[in-house]
Amino acid sequence: MVRTGAQYLESIKDNRCVYIGGERVENVTTHPAFKGISQTVASLYDIAADEKQNMSYITEDGTIANKIYMIPKSIEELKERREAIEKWANATCGFVGRSPDHVAGFLAGFASNPDVFARGGQMYKDNVLNFYKYARDNDLYLSYVIIPPQTDRSKASHEQENEFTAVGVYKEQEDGIIVRGSQMLGTGSAVSDYLFVSCISPLRPGDEAHAVSFVVPLSTPGLKLYSRPSFAADKPSTYDYPLSTQFDEGDSLVVFDDVFIPWEHVFAYRNIDIVRAQFHETPAHVYGNSQAQIRFVMKLKFIIGIARKVAAMNGIDKLPPVQEKLGELASIAASIEGMLLASEYNYMTDENGTVYPNRRFLYGVVGLQDSIYPKVIHILRDLVGGGVLQVPSTYKEMINPETRDDISRYIKSPGASAEERVKLFKLAWDVIGSEFGGRHQQYELFYNGAPFVTKGYAFRNYRYEEVVQLVDQFLESYQIPQKVEEQMI
Ligand SMILES: Cc1cc2nc3c(=O)[nH]c(=O)nc-3n(C[C@H](O)[C@H](O)[C@H](O)COP(=O)(O)OP(=O)(O)OC[C@H]3O[C@@H](n4cnc5c(N)ncnc54)[C@H](O)[C@@H]3O)c2cc1C
């Protein structure tokens, strides 16, 4: 089934425990911090449910599902998956990182190679497959927390002052496990249906209690979300903060206050090898991150569109130095989009016949995450000048009879009214300067790990054999001269 937005909104009106502003949220769909994002996610489900959008497919079990859950078996299916994800990225201008398609990709990756989980016992393989089908056939929204909380990064999880700082198995029972501790940083978790919980940071011997992988509904007793401040709640209007008000996903520390997880929701149990392998010996990490790259390409296009419009509105777009800056943005965006398409064109196939994007090109972009986005933001910041602050504090000055004439007289450009100009520059500010914009700079830098981690992915997935062979081949083409007159070929 492909859900509608209304069905999704109904599903998250449960007794989930989310704290913000010192209070427990009663209903995330109406609370000012989460209303905008839950409406946005609902609109994504409506897009997918609209047959004209071609976002559904018939699964190998004969059910109808959202393409975000696809396990591609050919380049055509890989392309179909990308085109479906692009529809959602387009609707959010690339500013919603953990929309339901992100973790759906991880689940599809797990289910495509469930034998990795069978290394811990047949039950875990069955659990993965059963849950994947359940999530797919009910079009669920999963978010995830797969990083231990920041406390002391020099110590392993079991060495922390409090053994259950990071989530771990506190007790084993006949019907399941009790988990205790916390995990960072649940983006979108407050408005998702289920959480996927595990650990992608390398675990060390002794960390077995933390080497788990499971799913849990957000309404489970003992599960608590501590949200950071909202960037949507106090805003005067969508006109003033178009991105903050619609796309603030929220990020939460997740606390597990002795939470019961039935066995059927456990994918890996006290197994350091499987917890690592689930991400990298299946296409899970590749699928999740190809979604991230599809979204990122859309975001770059959107930002470049803003830069182009701002330059035209300010009458600077014909100046060669400005065209140089716009050209640099164009080069960045075209290169990243090209890498996305290259990763699809040069697809890889595993032993199960599952097709996934080429790791070299995917992780090549991942390794540049720390430099691309700050550069793009810097160029946009440079192009907009003070125009982003030469705006009235709210839309109210634009409709108040006392002030509106001044605004429309002095804030305008040839061919653009005050309303159009303020609208564009407020959008630019929401990208570069608002708290929402700042959070996005942090997001692009860290969502896939700190820079030393992302460059490690690029290093491990490049496949150096080819380039080393290239050099060896050349080195073998000439030798040390035996005589002075043979010094050149
Ligand atoms: C906006 C945002 C949203 C997020 N959403 C999610 C989410 O939905 N789900 C989720 O699971 N996680 C999420 N995260 C967490 C994200 O995965 C982590 O931020 C990321 O893995 C880095 O971990 P960290 O923040 O603890 O930084 P650290 O790993 O502590 O790194 C901080 C800095 O410390 C240094 N450093 C630390 N350790 C080392 C080392 N071993 N070697 C060299 N240098 C080191 C580096 O300079 C590094 O840049 C999100 C993060 C952000 C910022």
Side-chain angles (χ1 to χ4, degrees):
M1 139 185 152
V2 177
R3 282 199 292 191
T4 62
Q7 285 169 323
Y8 155 70
L9 288 172
E10 232 10 78
S11 79
I12 58 167
K13 283 186 210 159
D14 50 21
N15 204 24
R16 62 190 54 206
C17 183
V18 181
Y19 287 99
I20 191 164
E23 286 173 4
R24 184 169 170 172
V25 175
E26 252 195 56
N27 177 353
V28 285
T29 68
T30 52
H31 189 281
F34 304 107
K35 187 176 170 195
I37 187 63
S38 47
Q39 290 295 335
T40 294
V41 174
S43 72
L44 299 183
Y45 278 113
D46 281 336
I47 291 172
D50 176 357
E51 275 178 27
K52 290 194 292 294
Q53 297 291 335
N54 195 21
M55 270 191 73
S56 55
Y57 74 111
I58 298 179
T59 71
E60 54 277 23
D61 300 313
T63 54
I64 293 176
N66 192 328
K67 283 183 182 168
I68 64 171
Y69 278 104
M70 257 180 136
I71 301 176
K73 295 288 181 189
S74 63
I75 185 170
E76 289 75 24
E77 287 184 359
L78 195 59
K79 182 167 175 259
E80 269 188 63
R81 174 183 181 267
R82 169 173 57 78
E83 287 171 349
I85 292 170
E86 272 171 357
K87 295 229 160 84
W88 277 9
N90 182 293
T92 59
C93 314
F95 278 89
V96 176
R98 301 296 199 225
S99 39
D101 42 354
H102 185 72
V103 180
F106 277 79
L107 281 185
F110 296 160
S112 76
N113 190 7
D115 285 338
V116 165
F117 298 88
R119 297 200 312 232
Q122 179 66 29
M123 174 179 92
Y124 300 108
K125 171 178 175 174
D126 295 344
N127 291 348
V128 166
L129 284 175
N130 291 339
F131 186 79
Y132 162 71
K133 290 179 183 190
Y134 174 73
R136 180 195 68 189
D137 294 343
N138 290 283
D139 206 5
L140 295 183
Y141 176 6
L142 275 92
S143 59
Y144 66 14
V145 282
I146 54 172
I147 301 285
Q150 263 190 1
T151 41
D152 180 349
R153 289 279 186 245
S154 71
K155 293 196 172 84
S157 288
H158 73 280
E159 293 167 347
Q160 301 289 334
E161 215 170 88
N162 166 6
E163 195 197 333
F164 287 102
T165 300
V167 69
V169 183
Y170 174 63
K171 211 161 107 189
E172 181 181 323
Q173 299 179 174
E174 208 175 309
D175 51 352
I177 54 175
I178 306 284
V179 294
R180 179 181 281 188
S182 64
Q183 205 76 331
M184 72 188 279
L185 183 63
T187 299
S189 300
V191 294
S192 62
D193 297 297
Y194 268 78
L195 257 182
F196 168 65
V197 184
S198 194
C199 186
I200 198 167
S201 310
L203 291 164
R204 301 187 212 159
D207 280 339
E208 283 73 14
H210 304 277
V212 283
S213 181
F214 59 88
V215 286
V216 56
L218 259 298
S219 57
T220 305
L223 191 64
K224 301 179 199 165
L225 267 57
Y226 288 96
S227 173
R228 61 149 167 81
S230 167
F231 307 142
D234 59 344
K235 298 295 181 282
S237 75
T238 295
Y239 179 84
D240 290 289
Y241 289 91
L243 304 176
S244 307
T245 53
Q246 301 185 82
F247 303 145
D248 182 15
E249 299 164 88
D251 305 293
S252 304
L253 175 78
V254 180
V255 168
F256 300 82
D257 196 353
D258 290 357
V259 175
F260 172 68
I261 312 293
W263 283 120
E264 61 264 30
H265 280 166
V266 180
F267 298 169
Y269 183 62
R270 289 183 178 277
N271 195 316
I272 291 175
D273 164 55
I274 295 173
V275 164
R276 180 201 54 79
Q278 66 183 339
F279 295 115
H280 304 299
E281 289 182 34
T282 74
H285 198 258
V286 174
Y287 284 153
N289 283 288
S290 73
Q291 178 274 349
Q293 200 164 317
I294 295 164
R295 173 201 61 80
F296 189 53
V297 166
M298 197 63 75
K299 188 184 203 178
L300 290 178
K301 287 182 178 174
F302 185 73
I303 292 176
I304 288 162
I306 295 175
R308 190 80 179 83
K309 276 180 79 72
V310 161
M313 205 175 265
N314 274 348
I316 54 172
D317 57 335
K318 307 279 182 309
L319 303 174
V322 170
Q323 289 185 350
E324 186 184 333
K325 286 170 192 165
L326 290 170
E328 188 164 3
L329 287 179
S331 296
I332 294 171
S335 304
I336 306 304
E337 184 178 9
M339 291 280 270
L340 173 70
L341 298 175
S343 73
E344 185 176 293
Y345 180 76
N346 294 288
Y347 66 92
M348 297 170 117
T349 309
D350 71 10
E351 64 279 13
N352 301 306
T354 302
V355 165
Y356 55 94
N358 187 298
R359 289 188 152 101
R360 176 188 284 185
F361 302 114
L362 181 82
Y363 289 110
V365 173
V366 165
L368 289 176
Q369 260 170 226
D370 58 331
S371 55
I372 300 168
Y373 198 60
K375 180 149 214 170
V376 166
I377 292 297
H378 177 76
I379 297 174
L380 181 60
R381 195 183 280 286
D382 181 356
L383 286 171
V384 296
V388 282
L389 303 171
Q390 183 203 287
V391 290
S393 70
T394 67
Y395 71 93
K396 291 176 190 158
E397 288 93 318
M398 303 179 70
I399 56 172
N400 181 344
E402 245 182 76
T403 53
R404 68 180 176 207
D405 290 347
D406 279 341
I407 304 293
S408 54
R409 185 171 304 125
Y410 296 114
I411 307 182
K412 64 177 180 186
S413 287
S417 66
E419 191 180 326
E420 287 166 310
R421 187 181 159 90
V422 171
K423 193 177 196 181
L424 179 64
F425 279 79
K426 277 183 180 272
L427 170 62
W429 183 247
D430 221 2
V431 175
I432 63 169
S434 67
E435 267 195 285
F436 175 89
R439 183 262 179 201
H440 266 265
Q441 290 171 50
Q442 204 68 4
Y443 183 77
E444 299 299 354
L445 187 56
F446 279 108
Y447 77 83
N448 201 1
F452 75 92
V453 175
T454 53
K455 290 192 192 321
Y457 287 134
F459 171 74
R460 284 190 297 281
N461 289 289
Y462 186 78
R463 292 193 165 189
Y464 287 93
E465 310 85 50
E466 181 195 333
V467 292
V468 167
Q469 200 207 345
L470 209 59
V471 177
D472 285 343
Q473 195 180 300
F474 184 68
L475 288 173
E476 279 164 22
S477 70
Y478 53 92
Q479 285 79 36
I480 186 163
Q482 298 305 311
K483 297 187 196 137
V484 175
E485 57 274 23
E486 288 173 1
Q487 61 185 296
M488 305 277 194
I489 287 178

